[in-house]
Amino acid sequence: MKINQKIFLQFGICIILFGLIGILINNLIINLIRTGLGFNFSWLLKPASFALAEHPLPYTSSDSYTWALIIGWLNSLKVIFSSLILATFLGTLIGFARTGKNALLGLISAGYITIIRQTPLLLQLMFWYFVGFLGLKDNMFIQIKNIFNISNQGVEFSGLNFSSEFLALLMGLSIFTSAYIAEVIRGGILSVPRGQWEAFRSLGLSESKGLIRIIIPQALPAIIPGLTSQYLNLAKNSTLAIAVGYSDIYAINDTIINQTGRAIECFIILLVSFLLLNLLITNIMELINRLILKSRQYS
Amino acid sequence: MEPIVVAKNLTKSYTKGLRALDNVSLTVDQGKVLVVMGPSGSGKSTLIRTFNGLETFDKGELNILGITVDSTHDERKIQKIRRRVGMVFQQFNLFPHLSILENITLAPVQVQKRRQIEAEEHGMYLLSQMGIDSHARKYPNQLSGGEQQRVAIARALALKPELLLFDEPTSALDPERINEVLDAMRKLAEQGMTMVVVTHEISFAKDVSDRVLFLDSGKVIETSPPDIFFSNARHERSRKFLNQLDKN
Ligand SMILES: Nc1ncnc2c1ncn2[C@@H]1O[C@H](COP(=O)(O)OP(=O)(O)O)[C@@H](O)[C@H]1O
Ligand SMILES: [Mg+2]
């Protein structure tokens, strides 16, 4: 392609883009005028006047919308980071089983991965919520000397309370994401040359020692990018919290929109929230990646 | 004295009908060097990889250092064998994320539970034997192919093996780097190491080996002392192969 043509093409694309943005802004203004609300954030200081079942910090309905949003944020972070850890742990185990020598374990993990990836996350969340936790009776089974107590209210573990909603979301997100992480781990392991396996085996190292000392360190550079994108997916998927009634940032924004009609402001808040969260995750992962590369002077 | 390697009627197929090993029997006595030759795809790698359990086999019996394994591939026995047998690969297969010295001390510390300091001292001794002790703190990709292969030999020696297996150790090297590796291997043979070497280096086979085993389509065609094999091979196929080698 000639330079002229290139510039012309780029110019055309710019015009189309600006046109689309113009239409969007136009719609926005029309909507704002129609609702008669105008565009401002002063309502953030007014009392939220709705209750929240789950709040890691003190909260009452007379607290402001801002405080409600912060609680939503904390709830989101809580479920995202605990799912992230659990999903990584599960995914790593299943990824190992998938690549390991044991044929039965390999088959089971392959089945797990297939089933989890072939069903919608929403369905899985509903399953964990209605079948997994609400299915339990009032104060049923395991109650070991008041230390560990499972019921339809959730799980109480030595003074810490986890609601059914939180646990259903945690299970759903972790298990769903773990199937994808398992595939990332497997891909990373397969990216290490066969000769490395033969070398550690011929030295008498056990499979697990070889995996930890030889294979995983070399697989990490291939694993980290895939892991990052799964973490980002997990963060975005956490907004399905609303389906099981967990008060995450998205659910709280939804309630606020219903109460105040401030849809545009709320969407901006949501957008910025997730942008920041995903930037945080990406940056942490990049840092980890850099640390790994630094510890490997050879590369 | 009991032989180091006894293979009886080893047979193996990767795919049905095609035999990678076909009734292979052989013996290697203590302190002897067996060179294995044969065209590409004749089963040389498959054969020596059965010796330390990297490959299974379908039929026959193998006795390595008095440990007998059969087609059931008993992992515990294979683990025992691997602690006493070293292997050197065509592609070196050094661990790229570990320093040269770490490559060498890994197995003694992890497998034999030797102390780190002791393993390092022994590792440095082995590296100096190979003439590369100045590279101990470097990483594999900072070394030439010949140097990497000598590290691989030192790594195999670190477990104080009673048998060393070489699978075409010089085939991936630049021609001017081949001799430094062959010289290291010669030295080992002089020190009485029992070795099985897959190689097409005729001068090495002539000088160092006690016998040459010629393999074709998974079958042992002949096993002869090197002076006979290279001047007056018994079989037509061996002679053809040697002619082919000469031309290249
Ligand atoms: N992992 C494998 N899967 C299937 N066939 C294999 C495998 N490894 C080797 N073979 C086949 O077995 C035969 C012997 O191979 P190999 O032992 O590598 O021969 P050589 O080392 O003499 O070149 C060849 O026909 C090769 O294609
Ligand atoms: Mg080969």
Side-chain angles (χ1 to χ4, degrees):
Chain A
M1 216 190 297
K2 274 193 235 144
I3 296 276
N4 287 351
Q5 273 174 311
K6 246 186 182 169
I7 290 173
F8 188 72
L9 194 76
Q10 285 181 3
F11 192 66
I13 291 173
C14 280
I15 287 181
I16 293 170
L17 263 179
F18 280 126
L20 285 174
I21 292 171
I23 291 170
L24 276 177
I25 291 176
N26 188 42
N27 281 350
L28 213 128
I29 290 169
I30 289 173
N31 269 330
L32 282 174
I33 291 170
R34 198 162 49 89
T35 54
L37 285 169
F39 183 76
N40 72 65
F41 285 95
S42 58
W43 51 270
L44 275 172
L45 299 173
K46 291 184 187 154
S49 64
F50 54 79
L52 286 176
E54 190 133 0
H55 45 86
L57 292 176
Y59 171 87
T60 62
S61 56
S62 56
D63 282 322
S64 66
Y65 282 117
T66 312
W67 190 242
L69 286 169
I70 288 172
I71 299 290
W73 246 108
L74 292 178
N75 281 340
S76 281
L77 289 178
K78 180 171 132 190
V79 81
I80 289 168
F81 281 101
S82 39
S83 305
L84 197 143
I85 289 164
L86 188 56
T88 309
F89 179 73
L90 280 176
T92 307
L93 284 186
I94 295 156
F96 284 178
R98 182 92 176 77
T99 33
K101 266 184 160 179
N102 189 313
L104 182 66
L105 276 180
L107 207 69
I108 291 172
S109 50
Y112 174 93
I113 292 169
T114 311
I115 291 170
I116 299 296
R117 298 213 305 178
Q118 304 298 339
T119 46
L121 173 56
L122 187 58
L123 207 77
Q124 293 182 32
L125 284 177
M126 294 308 212
F127 171 83
W128 288 112
Y129 189 52
F130 290 110
V131 183
F133 289 100
L134 285 194
L136 303 175
K137 294 211 188 72
D138 257 352
N139 201 344
M140 81 181 277
F141 54 125
I142 311 167
Q143 188 167 17
I144 306 164
K145 290 183 190 145
N146 288 331
I147 293 176
F148 191 76
N149 180 16
I150 298 181
S151 73
N152 64 358
Q153 304 294 304
V155 172
E156 191 193 330
F157 179 68
S158 65
L160 287 172
N161 271 304
F162 300 101
S163 68
S164 305
E165 291 76 23
F166 171 79
L167 290 170
L169 198 59
L170 174 72
M171 294 295 283
L173 285 175
S174 307
I175 288 178
F176 184 77
T177 312
S178 73
Y180 289 86
I181 288 180
E183 287 294 84
V184 169
I185 301 276
R186 174 166 172 258
I189 289 175
L190 290 180
S191 76
V192 179
R194 273 196 63 79
Q196 294 291 308
W197 292 84
E198 292 171 356
F200 85 68
R201 282 179 186 148
S202 74
L203 288 169
L205 259 71
S206 66
E207 293 293 303
S208 54
K209 262 196 185 141
L211 202 60
I212 291 166
R213 297 207 162 247
I214 305 301
I215 305 302
I216 292 297
Q218 295 182 65
L220 275 180
I223 287 175
I224 297 287
L227 215 51
T228 307
S229 86
Q230 290 314 319
Y231 289 170
L232 296 181
N233 283 342
L234 190 154
K236 287 181 261 178
N237 286 338
S238 74
T239 53
L240 285 173
I242 200 167
V244 293
Y246 179 74
S247 328
D248 79 327
I249 184 79
Y250 183 81
I252 286 176
N253 266 288
D254 193 69
T255 310
I256 296 176
I257 291 171
N258 282 335
Q259 275 191 10
T260 63
R262 299 267 171 200
I264 287 149
E265 289 90 334
C266 280
F267 277 124
I268 289 172
I269 289 172
L270 265 181
L271 217 72
V272 172
S273 303
F274 274 90
L275 209 65
L276 286 178
L277 177 62
N278 281 356
L279 277 176
L280 180 74
I281 293 175
T282 313
N283 277 311
I284 291 176
M285 293 304 281
E286 227 157 65
L287 189 75
I288 292 174
N289 204 12
R290 221 170 311 135
L291 286 178
I292 290 168
L293 288 181
K294 218 168 130 192
S295 73
R296 299 155 36 123
Q297 297 96 320
Y298 71 94
S299 54
Chain B
M1 190 147 53
E2 213 179 339
I4 302 291
V5 181
V6 183
K8 278 187 201 145
N9 308 316
L10 290 186
T11 300
K12 177 186 178 76
S13 315
Y14 289 103
T15 44
K16 272 225 168 81
L18 233 114
R19 285 190 170 172
L21 294 180
D22 194 349
N23 252 321
V24 174
S25 299
L26 61 89
T27 308
V28 184
D29 287 318
Q30 168 129 47
K32 302 288 183 191
V33 176
L34 175 72
V35 160
V36 179
M37 286 193 169
S40 171
S42 57
K44 307 179 294 295
S45 297
T46 306
L47 176 63
I48 73 164
R49 290 154 57 89
T50 61
F51 293 175
N52 68 347
L54 287 181
E55 294 289 355
T56 55
F57 48 90
D58 308 328
K59 272 188 222 135
E61 200 183 84
L62 195 56
N63 185 304
I64 308 285
L65 300 161
I67 303 167
T68 305
V69 284
D70 54 24
S71 57
T72 56
H73 203 74
D74 184 335
E75 281 291 337
R76 291 222 337 261
K77 282 185 181 172
I78 283 164
Q79 217 53 26
K80 269 189 202 158
I81 291 173
R82 284 176 181 167
R83 284 168 199 205
R84 297 170 59 190
V85 177
M87 186 159 197
V88 176
F89 302 88
Q90 182 176 346
Q91 300 296 340
F92 328 137
N93 296 349
L94 294 181
F95 306 129
H97 59 301
L98 302 180
S99 74
I100 299 307
L101 192 57
E102 286 165 346
N103 261 276
I104 292 170
T105 56
L106 179 74
V109 173
Q110 293 295 323
V111 179
Q112 294 181 332
K113 310 286 173 209
R114 278 197 258 159
R115 281 170 45 223
Q116 183 71 33
I117 296 177
E118 191 195 330
E120 280 180 13
E121 265 172 24
H122 186 226
M124 287 308 295
Y125 164 76
L126 290 171
L127 284 174
S128 66
Q129 287 283 295
M130 294 290 141
I132 39 176
D133 43 335
S134 59
H135 298 317
R137 302 285 160 196
K138 291 186 183 165
Y139 283 79
N141 74 342
Q142 296 171 295
L143 270 57
S144 74
E147 288 162 344
Q148 287 191 50
Q149 194 60 300
R150 282 182 284 157
V151 173
I153 295 173
R155 180 175 71 177
L157 288 171
L159 287 174
K160 301 180 179 162
E162 292 152 77
L163 167 67
L164 269 187
L165 308 172
F166 293 82
D167 191 357
E168 303 205 34
T170 57
S171 297
L173 297 179
D174 295 333
E176 66 270 23
R177 290 293 190 170
I178 288 177
N179 273 326
E180 60 192 62
V181 171
L182 291 181
D183 287 345
M185 291 165 64
R186 276 198 183 93
K187 223 156 84 183
L188 287 174
E190 280 162 18
Q191 291 165 6
M193 178 63 76
T194 313
M195 317 204 299
V196 179
V197 186
V198 176
T199 184
H200 293 150
E201 294 296 330
I202 294 176
S203 65
F204 175 84
K206 275 183 184 165
D207 299 349
V208 181
S209 79
D210 298 284
R211 275 177 312 150
V212 178
L213 184 149
F214 180 70
L215 210 58
D216 194 10
S217 306
K219 286 192 198 64
V220 180
I221 304 300
E222 70 173 281
T223 311
S224 307
D227 46 335
I228 293 177
F229 184 76
F230 291 108
S231 61
N232 195 10
R234 281 187 270 251
H235 284 265
E236 178 60 29
R237 266 197 272 181
S238 322
R239 286 197 291 271
K240 252 190 181 160
F241 172 77
L242 287 171
N243 276 334
Q244 220 39 50
L245 264 193
D246 273 345
K247 274 183 212 151
N248 294 341

